[in-house]
Amino acid sequence: MSRLPLVSTDSADAEQTALITEVQRQLGRVPNLYAAMANSPATLRGYLNLREALGTGKLAARVREQLALLVASENGCDYCTAAHTMRASRMGLTEQAIADTRAAHAEDPHADAILRVARDVLRTRGRVDDAALASARAGGVSDAELSEIVGHVALNILSNYFNHVAEPELDFPPVPPGKGAALEAKWRAATEVTLVEGYSLLNRDGQSVRTVEDVRIAIEGGFLHVAVADSAEVQVVSAPAVALVTYRAA
């Protein structure tokens, strides 16, 4: 059950009704995400305005959908991953193309460059280095497109994080966990885990640090699970918070 009420036209005031009507116009339906977001007309209006503005930019609809799917997958948002998987499929993306998108890859070199730099933006919290920008530009990504990529990352982080808070009921076909070692919940040894600036883990002494050593880790649904030796509690961080994982040799 949703942790925030779902606003309907039966319970909405005039401002909420106008926004719900706009969602219906844009999407042809009112997904539970938007019905929950309507609890704050200011939030829903801001989201819709940014979404509509970005829809008139340089990036094609197919790439915009790929960006939404990538961000949802990176943030471990089951709701948005399901929604954008369905939409991507309707736009003609194959099952393999959808899986590749979630891993920041695309057959088209230009789209591939866009997805790779978008993932860099996510994982570095916007602090991409010169090499990442140079690589994107070498892939044909223009300055206008770079600007829009940041906009789409922000737009989709808003919907992902809102879903994490509200937990609306899933009203799209559920998507199974992604295939491949990166998404399997299998524990393995790591010699070092380092987080990006601003994130921390507790080490064996209970101190808050960016780097822990000789731990066990598992990756599932866009989150890294870290088990420090002699610790009774598994620590969990989102994938974008992870700067480096060094695995122990088999």
Side-chain angles (χ1 to χ4, degrees), residues 187-194 201-204 211-218 224-229 235 245-248:
W187 290 95
R188 62 182 299 182
T191 56
E192 181 180 305
V193 174
T194 300
L201 292 164
L202 297 179
N203 64 12
R204 289 174 177 76
T211 299
V212 290
E213 299 177 341
D214 296 324
V215 296
R216 292 186 305 117
I217 67 167
L224 180 72
H225 302 250
V226 182
V228 177
Q235 301 175 68
V245 174
T246 303
Y247 292 106
R248 185 177 300 165

PDB file of all heavy atoms in Angstrom, residues 187-194 201-204 211-218 224-229 235 245-248:
ATOM      1  N   TRP A 187      27.182 -12.962  -2.713  1.00  0.00           N
ATOM      2  CA  TRP A 187      28.236 -12.379  -1.909  1.00  0.00           C
ATOM      3  C   TRP A 187      29.605 -12.784  -2.442  1.00  0.00           C
ATOM      4  O   TRP A 187      29.807 -13.904  -2.878  1.00  0.00           O
ATOM      5  CB  TRP A 187      28.101 -12.843  -0.455  1.00  0.00           C
ATOM      6  CG  TRP A 187      26.914 -12.264   0.235  1.00  0.00           C
ATOM      7  CD1 TRP A 187      25.691 -12.835   0.376  1.00  0.00           C
ATOM      8  CD2 TRP A 187      26.830 -10.987   0.858  1.00  0.00           C
ATOM      9  NE1 TRP A 187      24.840 -12.005   1.042  1.00  0.00           N
ATOM     10  CE2 TRP A 187      25.519 -10.856   1.363  1.00  0.00           C
ATOM     11  CE3 TRP A 187      27.734  -9.942   1.034  1.00  0.00           C
ATOM     12  CZ2 TRP A 187      25.095  -9.720   2.033  1.00  0.00           C
ATOM     13  CZ3 TRP A 187      27.305  -8.807   1.714  1.00  0.00           C
ATOM     14  CH2 TRP A 187      26.002  -8.707   2.210  1.00  0.00           C
ATOM     15  N   ARG A 188      30.518 -11.829  -2.428  1.00  0.00           N
ATOM     16  CA  ARG A 188      31.896 -12.120  -2.787  1.00  0.00           C
ATOM     17  C   ARG A 188      32.821 -11.211  -1.990  1.00  0.00           C
ATOM     18  O   ARG A 188      32.404 -10.182  -1.464  1.00  0.00           O
ATOM     19  CB  ARG A 188      32.137 -11.947  -4.283  1.00  0.00           C
ATOM     20  CG  ARG A 188      31.914 -10.545  -4.812  1.00  0.00           C
ATOM     21  CD  ARG A 188      32.123 -10.494  -6.315  1.00  0.00           C
ATOM     22  NE  ARG A 188      33.466 -10.875  -6.704  1.00  0.00           N
ATOM     23  CZ  ARG A 188      33.922 -10.871  -7.959  1.00  0.00           C
ATOM     24  NH1 ARG A 188      33.103 -10.524  -8.930  1.00  0.00           N
ATOM     25  NH2 ARG A 188      35.158 -11.210  -8.236  1.00  0.00           N
ATOM     26  N   ALA A 189      34.073 -11.618  -1.902  1.00  0.00           N
ATOM     27  CA  ALA A 189      35.046 -10.868  -1.111  1.00  0.00           C
ATOM     28  C   ALA A 189      35.565  -9.672  -1.897  1.00  0.00           C
ATOM     29  O   ALA A 189      35.780  -9.747  -3.103  1.00  0.00           O
ATOM     30  CB  ALA A 189      36.198 -11.776  -0.715  1.00  0.00           C
ATOM     31  N   ALA A 190      35.778  -8.573  -1.193  1.00  0.00           N
ATOM     32  CA  ALA A 190      36.363  -7.371  -1.784  1.00  0.00           C
ATOM     33  C   ALA A 190      37.475  -6.882  -0.869  1.00  0.00           C
ATOM     34  O   ALA A 190      37.330  -6.873   0.353  1.00  0.00           O
ATOM     35  CB  ALA A 190      35.316  -6.281  -1.955  1.00  0.00           C
ATOM     36  N   THR A 191      38.577  -6.499  -1.475  1.00  0.00           N
ATOM     37  CA  THR A 191      39.695  -5.986  -0.671  1.00  0.00           C
ATOM     38  C   THR A 191      39.456  -4.540  -0.260  1.00  0.00           C
ATOM     39  O   THR A 191      39.959  -4.092   0.777  1.00  0.00           O
ATOM     40  CB  THR A 191      41.015  -6.073  -1.449  1.00  0.00           C
ATOM     41  OG1 THR A 191      40.867  -5.366  -2.692  1.00  0.00           O
ATOM     42  CG2 THR A 191      41.382  -7.522  -1.732  1.00  0.00           C
ATOM     43  N   GLU A 192      38.662  -3.809  -1.064  1.00  0.00           N
ATOM     44  CA  GLU A 192      38.443  -2.394  -0.744  1.00  0.00           C
ATOM     45  C   GLU A 192      37.162  -1.891  -1.382  1.00  0.00           C
ATOM     46  O   GLU A 192      36.845  -2.231  -2.517  1.00  0.00           O
ATOM     47  CB  GLU A 192      39.625  -1.559  -1.249  1.00  0.00           C
ATOM     48  CG  GLU A 192      39.535  -0.070  -0.958  1.00  0.00           C
ATOM     49  CD  GLU A 192      40.745   0.679  -1.481  1.00  0.00           C
ATOM     50  OE1 GLU A 192      41.883   0.300  -1.116  1.00  0.00           O
ATOM     51  OE2 GLU A 192      40.560   1.643  -2.258  1.00  0.00           O
ATOM     52  N   VAL A 193      36.414  -1.109  -0.637  1.00  0.00           N
ATOM     53  CA  VAL A 193      35.242  -0.391  -1.149  1.00  0.00           C
ATOM     54  C   VAL A 193      35.409   1.074  -0.780  1.00  0.00           C
ATOM     55  O   VAL A 193      35.577   1.412   0.394  1.00  0.00           O
ATOM     56  CB  VAL A 193      33.929  -0.925  -0.555  1.00  0.00           C
ATOM     57  CG1 VAL A 193      32.752  -0.054  -0.997  1.00  0.00           C
ATOM     58  CG2 VAL A 193      33.693  -2.368  -0.969  1.00  0.00           C
ATOM     59  N   THR A 194      35.386   1.955  -1.792  1.00  0.00           N
ATOM     60  CA  THR A 194      35.527   3.387  -1.567  1.00  0.00           C
ATOM     61  C   THR A 194      34.290   4.095  -2.099  1.00  0.00           C
ATOM     62  O   THR A 194      33.846   3.828  -3.219  1.00  0.00           O
ATOM     63  CB  THR A 194      36.781   3.953  -2.261  1.00  0.00           C
ATOM     64  OG1 THR A 194      37.937   3.297  -1.738  1.00  0.00           O
ATOM     65  CG2 THR A 194      36.903   5.452  -2.028  1.00  0.00           C
ATOM     66  N   LEU A 201      30.758   4.711   5.279  1.00  0.00           N
ATOM     67  CA  LEU A 201      30.423   3.417   5.854  1.00  0.00           C
ATOM     68  C   LEU A 201      31.056   3.340   7.245  1.00  0.00           C
ATOM     69  O   LEU A 201      31.990   4.077   7.549  1.00  0.00           O
ATOM     70  CB  LEU A 201      30.957   2.276   4.982  1.00  0.00           C
ATOM     71  CG  LEU A 201      30.307   2.083   3.615  1.00  0.00           C
ATOM     72  CD1 LEU A 201      31.198   1.205   2.735  1.00  0.00           C
ATOM     73  CD2 LEU A 201      28.921   1.450   3.758  1.00  0.00           C
ATOM     74  N   LEU A 202      30.552   2.423   8.067  1.00  0.00           N
ATOM     75  CA  LEU A 202      31.161   2.207   9.371  1.00  0.00           C
ATOM     76  C   LEU A 202      32.207   1.108   9.259  1.00  0.00           C
ATOM     77  O   LEU A 202      31.930   0.019   8.736  1.00  0.00           O
ATOM     78  CB  LEU A 202      30.100   1.813  10.399  1.00  0.00           C
ATOM     79  CG  LEU A 202      29.022   2.863  10.697  1.00  0.00           C
ATOM     80  CD1 LEU A 202      28.025   2.315  11.705  1.00  0.00           C
ATOM     81  CD2 LEU A 202      29.646   4.158  11.194  1.00  0.00           C
ATOM     82  N   ASN A 203      33.408   1.388   9.733  1.00  0.00           N
ATOM     83  CA  ASN A 203      34.455   0.366   9.706  1.00  0.00           C
ATOM     84  C   ASN A 203      34.355  -0.530  10.934  1.00  0.00           C
ATOM     85  O   ASN A 203      33.399  -0.427  11.727  1.00  0.00           O
ATOM     86  CB  ASN A 203      35.840   1.008   9.581  1.00  0.00           C
ATOM     87  CG  ASN A 203      36.200   1.866  10.787  1.00  0.00           C
ATOM     88  OD1 ASN A 203      35.540   1.834  11.842  1.00  0.00           O
ATOM     89  ND2 ASN A 203      37.248   2.660  10.651  1.00  0.00           N
ATOM     90  N   ARG A 204      35.324  -1.388  11.120  1.00  0.00           N
ATOM     91  CA  ARG A 204      35.283  -2.343  12.234  1.00  0.00           C
ATOM     92  C   ARG A 204      35.256  -1.659  13.596  1.00  0.00           C
ATOM     93  O   ARG A 204      34.787  -2.223  14.578  1.00  0.00           O
ATOM     94  CB  ARG A 204      36.487  -3.288  12.142  1.00  0.00           C
ATOM     95  CG  ARG A 204      36.400  -4.279  11.003  1.00  0.00           C
ATOM     96  CD  ARG A 204      37.682  -5.088  10.865  1.00  0.00           C
ATOM     97  NE  ARG A 204      37.583  -6.090   9.823  1.00  0.00           N
ATOM     98  CZ  ARG A 204      37.647  -5.826   8.532  1.00  0.00           C
ATOM     99  NH1 ARG A 204      37.824  -4.584   8.117  1.00  0.00           N
ATOM    100  NH2 ARG A 204      37.537  -6.805   7.647  1.00  0.00           N
ATOM    101  N   THR A 211      36.333   4.628   2.997  1.00  0.00           N
ATOM    102  CA  THR A 211      36.926   3.399   2.482  1.00  0.00           C
ATOM    103  C   THR A 211      36.950   2.335   3.571  1.00  0.00           C
ATOM    104  O   THR A 211      37.369   2.599   4.706  1.00  0.00           O
ATOM    105  CB  THR A 211      38.364   3.640   1.985  1.00  0.00           C
ATOM    106  OG1 THR A 211      38.331   4.600   0.923  1.00  0.00           O
ATOM    107  CG2 THR A 211      38.990   2.353   1.479  1.00  0.00           C
ATOM    108  N   VAL A 212      36.456   1.143   3.228  1.00  0.00           N
ATOM    109  CA  VAL A 212      36.560  -0.010   4.133  1.00  0.00           C
ATOM    110  C   VAL A 212      37.318  -1.110   3.393  1.00  0.00           C
ATOM    111  O   VAL A 212      37.255  -1.205   2.166  1.00  0.00           O
ATOM    112  CB  VAL A 212      35.175  -0.522   4.584  1.00  0.00           C
ATOM    113  CG1 VAL A 212      34.519   0.461   5.526  1.00  0.00           C
ATOM    114  CG2 VAL A 212      34.273  -0.797   3.375  1.00  0.00           C
ATOM    115  N   GLU A 213      38.022  -1.941   4.134  1.00  0.00           N
ATOM    116  CA  GLU A 213      38.860  -2.982   3.538  1.00  0.00           C
ATOM    117  C   GLU A 213      38.456  -4.364   4.035  1.00  0.00           C
ATOM    118  O   GLU A 213      37.927  -4.508   5.139  1.00  0.00           O
ATOM    119  CB  GLU A 213      40.333  -2.709   3.860  1.00  0.00           C
ATOM    120  CG  GLU A 213      40.840  -1.384   3.313  1.00  0.00           C
ATOM    121  CD  GLU A 213      42.275  -1.102   3.718  1.00  0.00           C
ATOM    122  OE1 GLU A 213      42.745  -1.738   4.688  1.00  0.00           O
ATOM    123  OE2 GLU A 213      42.923  -0.256   3.074  1.00  0.00           O
ATOM    124  N   ASP A 214      38.741  -5.358   3.174  1.00  0.00           N
ATOM    125  CA  ASP A 214      38.505  -6.770   3.508  1.00  0.00           C
ATOM    126  C   ASP A 214      37.070  -6.993   3.983  1.00  0.00           C
ATOM    127  O   ASP A 214      36.804  -7.322   5.147  1.00  0.00           O
ATOM    128  CB  ASP A 214      39.506  -7.231   4.570  1.00  0.00           C
ATOM    129  CG  ASP A 214      40.937  -7.181   4.063  1.00  0.00           C
ATOM    130  OD1 ASP A 214      41.143  -7.473   2.874  1.00  0.00           O
ATOM    131  OD2 ASP A 214      41.826  -6.840   4.848  1.00  0.00           O
ATOM    132  N   VAL A 215      36.133  -6.804   3.058  1.00  0.00           N
ATOM    133  CA  VAL A 215      34.713  -6.949   3.367  1.00  0.00           C
ATOM    134  C   VAL A 215      34.076  -7.934   2.396  1.00  0.00           C
ATOM    135  O   VAL A 215      34.697  -8.364   1.424  1.00  0.00           O
ATOM    136  CB  VAL A 215      33.993  -5.587   3.273  1.00  0.00           C
ATOM    137  CG1 VAL A 215      34.526  -4.634   4.328  1.00  0.00           C
ATOM    138  CG2 VAL A 215      34.136  -4.985   1.871  1.00  0.00           C
ATOM    139  N   ARG A 216      32.832  -8.275   2.659  1.00  0.00           N
ATOM    140  CA  ARG A 216      32.025  -9.050   1.714  1.00  0.00           C
ATOM    141  C   ARG A 216      30.962  -8.120   1.147  1.00  0.00           C
ATOM    142  O   ARG A 216      30.397  -7.304   1.867  1.00  0.00           O
ATOM    143  CB  ARG A 216      31.365 -10.250   2.394  1.00  0.00           C
ATOM    144  CG  ARG A 216      32.329 -11.326   2.835  1.00  0.00           C
ATOM    145  CD  ARG A 216      31.597 -12.554   3.377  1.00  0.00           C
ATOM    146  NE  ARG A 216      30.690 -12.217   4.452  1.00  0.00           N
ATOM    147  CZ  ARG A 216      29.363 -12.388   4.394  1.00  0.00           C
ATOM    148  NH1 ARG A 216      28.805 -12.897   3.304  1.00  0.00           N
ATOM    149  NH2 ARG A 216      28.601 -12.054   5.420  1.00  0.00           N
ATOM    150  N   ILE A 217      30.709  -8.252  -0.162  1.00  0.00           N
ATOM    151  CA  ILE A 217      29.732  -7.377  -0.798  1.00  0.00           C
ATOM    152  C   ILE A 217      28.774  -8.174  -1.677  1.00  0.00           C
ATOM    153  O   ILE A 217      29.084  -9.285  -2.122  1.00  0.00           O
ATOM    154  CB  ILE A 217      30.410  -6.286  -1.666  1.00  0.00           C
ATOM    155  CG1 ILE A 217      31.109  -6.930  -2.870  1.00  0.00           C
ATOM    156  CG2 ILE A 217      31.373  -5.445  -0.840  1.00  0.00           C
ATOM    157  CD1 ILE A 217      31.529  -5.924  -3.924  1.00  0.00           C
ATOM    158  N   ALA A 218      27.606  -7.590  -1.900  1.00  0.00           N
ATOM    159  CA  ALA A 218      26.634  -8.112  -2.866  1.00  0.00           C
ATOM    160  C   ALA A 218      25.962  -6.920  -3.519  1.00  0.00           C
ATOM    161  O   ALA A 218      25.747  -5.892  -2.868  1.00  0.00           O
ATOM    162  CB  ALA A 218      25.606  -9.007  -2.184  1.00  0.00           C
ATOM    163  N   LEU A 224      24.492  -1.466  -3.184  1.00  0.00           N
ATOM    164  CA  LEU A 224      25.633  -2.254  -2.743  1.00  0.00           C
ATOM    165  C   LEU A 224      25.439  -2.605  -1.278  1.00  0.00           C
ATOM    166  O   LEU A 224      25.260  -1.729  -0.432  1.00  0.00           O
ATOM    167  CB  LEU A 224      26.934  -1.460  -2.916  1.00  0.00           C
ATOM    168  CG  LEU A 224      28.216  -2.187  -2.473  1.00  0.00           C
ATOM    169  CD1 LEU A 224      28.564  -3.305  -3.453  1.00  0.00           C
ATOM    170  CD2 LEU A 224      29.369  -1.209  -2.353  1.00  0.00           C
ATOM    171  N   HIS A 225      25.479  -3.905  -0.983  1.00  0.00           N
ATOM    172  CA  HIS A 225      25.366  -4.403   0.389  1.00  0.00           C
ATOM    173  C   HIS A 225      26.773  -4.742   0.871  1.00  0.00           C
ATOM    174  O   HIS A 225      27.496  -5.484   0.199  1.00  0.00           O
ATOM    175  CB  HIS A 225      24.468  -5.639   0.441  1.00  0.00           C
ATOM    176  CG  HIS A 225      23.082  -5.390  -0.090  1.00  0.00           C
ATOM    177  ND1 HIS A 225      21.968  -5.362   0.710  1.00  0.00           N
ATOM    178  CD2 HIS A 225      22.641  -5.132  -1.352  1.00  0.00           C
ATOM    179  CE1 HIS A 225      20.896  -5.107  -0.019  1.00  0.00           C
ATOM    180  NE2 HIS A 225      21.277  -4.973  -1.274  1.00  0.00           N
ATOM    181  N   VAL A 226      27.144  -4.207   2.014  1.00  0.00           N
ATOM    182  CA  VAL A 226      28.501  -4.362   2.528  1.00  0.00           C
ATOM    183  C   VAL A 226      28.456  -5.000   3.909  1.00  0.00           C
ATOM    184  O   VAL A 226      27.793  -4.489   4.823  1.00  0.00           O
ATOM    185  CB  VAL A 226      29.235  -3.007   2.610  1.00  0.00           C
ATOM    186  CG1 VAL A 226      30.666  -3.213   3.109  1.00  0.00           C
ATOM    187  CG2 VAL A 226      29.225  -2.304   1.262  1.00  0.00           C
ATOM    188  N   ALA A 227      29.160  -6.115   4.065  1.00  0.00           N
ATOM    189  CA  ALA A 227      29.267  -6.793   5.356  1.00  0.00           C
ATOM    190  C   ALA A 227      30.700  -6.679   5.846  1.00  0.00           C
ATOM    191  O   ALA A 227      31.619  -7.252   5.263  1.00  0.00           O
ATOM    192  CB  ALA A 227      28.866  -8.259   5.235  1.00  0.00           C
ATOM    193  N   VAL A 228      30.888  -5.889   6.894  1.00  0.00           N
ATOM    194  CA  VAL A 228      32.206  -5.733   7.496  1.00  0.00           C
ATOM    195  C   VAL A 228      32.408  -6.845   8.516  1.00  0.00           C
ATOM    196  O   VAL A 228      31.491  -7.176   9.263  1.00  0.00           O
ATOM    197  CB  VAL A 228      32.332  -4.353   8.177  1.00  0.00           C
ATOM    198  CG1 VAL A 228      33.685  -4.210   8.873  1.00  0.00           C
ATOM    199  CG2 VAL A 228      32.143  -3.241   7.155  1.00  0.00           C
ATOM    200  N   ALA A 229      33.572  -7.448   8.534  1.00  0.00           N
ATOM    201  CA  ALA A 229      33.852  -8.536   9.477  1.00  0.00           C
ATOM    202  C   ALA A 229      33.520  -8.099  10.890  1.00  0.00           C
ATOM    203  O   ALA A 229      33.756  -6.948  11.281  1.00  0.00           O
ATOM    204  CB  ALA A 229      35.319  -8.956   9.375  1.00  0.00           C
ATOM    205  N   GLN A 235      25.472  -3.114   5.799  1.00  0.00           N
ATOM    206  CA  GLN A 235      25.273  -1.721   5.412  1.00  0.00           C
ATOM    207  C   GLN A 235      24.923  -1.659   3.922  1.00  0.00           C
ATOM    208  O   GLN A 235      25.465  -2.418   3.118  1.00  0.00           O
ATOM    209  CB  GLN A 235      26.542  -0.918   5.696  1.00  0.00           C
ATOM    210  CG  GLN A 235      26.959  -0.960   7.169  1.00  0.00           C
ATOM    211  CD  GLN A 235      28.282  -0.269   7.395  1.00  0.00           C
ATOM    212  OE1 GLN A 235      28.388   0.950   7.268  1.00  0.00           O
ATOM    213  NE2 GLN A 235      29.306  -1.052   7.741  1.00  0.00           N
ATOM    214  N   VAL A 245      35.336  -0.370  -6.273  1.00  0.00           N
ATOM    215  CA  VAL A 245      35.313  -1.673  -5.590  1.00  0.00           C
ATOM    216  C   VAL A 245      36.475  -2.488  -6.145  1.00  0.00           C
ATOM    217  O   VAL A 245      36.587  -2.675  -7.357  1.00  0.00           O
ATOM    218  CB  VAL A 245      33.995  -2.430  -5.808  1.00  0.00           C
ATOM    219  CG1 VAL A 245      34.083  -3.829  -5.192  1.00  0.00           C
ATOM    220  CG2 VAL A 245      32.829  -1.667  -5.215  1.00  0.00           C
ATOM    221  N   THR A 246      37.335  -2.963  -5.275  1.00  0.00           N
ATOM    222  CA  THR A 246      38.454  -3.816  -5.674  1.00  0.00           C
ATOM    223  C   THR A 246      38.192  -5.213  -5.142  1.00  0.00           C
ATOM    224  O   THR A 246      38.044  -5.416  -3.939  1.00  0.00           O
ATOM    225  CB  THR A 246      39.786  -3.306  -5.101  1.00  0.00           C
ATOM    226  OG1 THR A 246      39.980  -1.964  -5.536  1.00  0.00           O
ATOM    227  CG2 THR A 246      40.942  -4.156  -5.591  1.00  0.00           C
ATOM    228  N   TYR A 247      38.096  -6.173  -6.073  1.00  0.00           N
ATOM    229  CA  TYR A 247      37.786  -7.545  -5.680  1.00  0.00           C
ATOM    230  C   TYR A 247      39.043  -8.308  -5.299  1.00  0.00           C
ATOM    231  O   TYR A 247      40.115  -8.086  -5.849  1.00  0.00           O
ATOM    232  CB  TYR A 247      37.072  -8.275  -6.812  1.00  0.00           C
ATOM    233  CG  TYR A 247      35.691  -7.743  -7.092  1.00  0.00           C
ATOM    234  CD1 TYR A 247      35.438  -6.976  -8.227  1.00  0.00           C
ATOM    235  CD2 TYR A 247      34.638  -7.996  -6.230  1.00  0.00           C
ATOM    236  CE1 TYR A 247      34.168  -6.482  -8.495  1.00  0.00           C
ATOM    237  CE2 TYR A 247      33.374  -7.514  -6.469  1.00  0.00           C
ATOM    238  CZ  TYR A 247      33.140  -6.755  -7.601  1.00  0.00           C
ATOM    239  OH  TYR A 247      31.883  -6.270  -7.863  1.00  0.00           O
ATOM    240  N   ARG A 248      38.873  -9.217  -4.379  1.00  0.00           N
ATOM    241  CA  ARG A 248      39.946 -10.099  -3.983  1.00  0.00           C
ATOM    242  C   ARG A 248      40.156 -11.148  -5.072  1.00  0.00           C
ATOM    243  O   ARG A 248      39.204 -11.677  -5.621  1.00  0.00           O
ATOM    244  CB  ARG A 248      39.631 -10.765  -2.642  1.00  0.00           C
ATOM    245  CG  ARG A 248      40.726 -11.625  -2.069  1.00  0.00           C
ATOM    246  CD  ARG A 248      40.331 -12.164  -0.707  1.00  0.00           C
ATOM    247  NE  ARG A 248      40.084 -11.067   0.233  1.00  0.00           N
ATOM    248  CZ  ARG A 248      39.458 -11.227   1.394  1.00  0.00           C
ATOM    249  NH1 ARG A 248      38.972 -12.399   1.737  1.00  0.00           N
ATOM    250  NH2 ARG A 248      39.284 -10.195   2.206  1.00  0.00           N
TER     251      ARG A 248
END
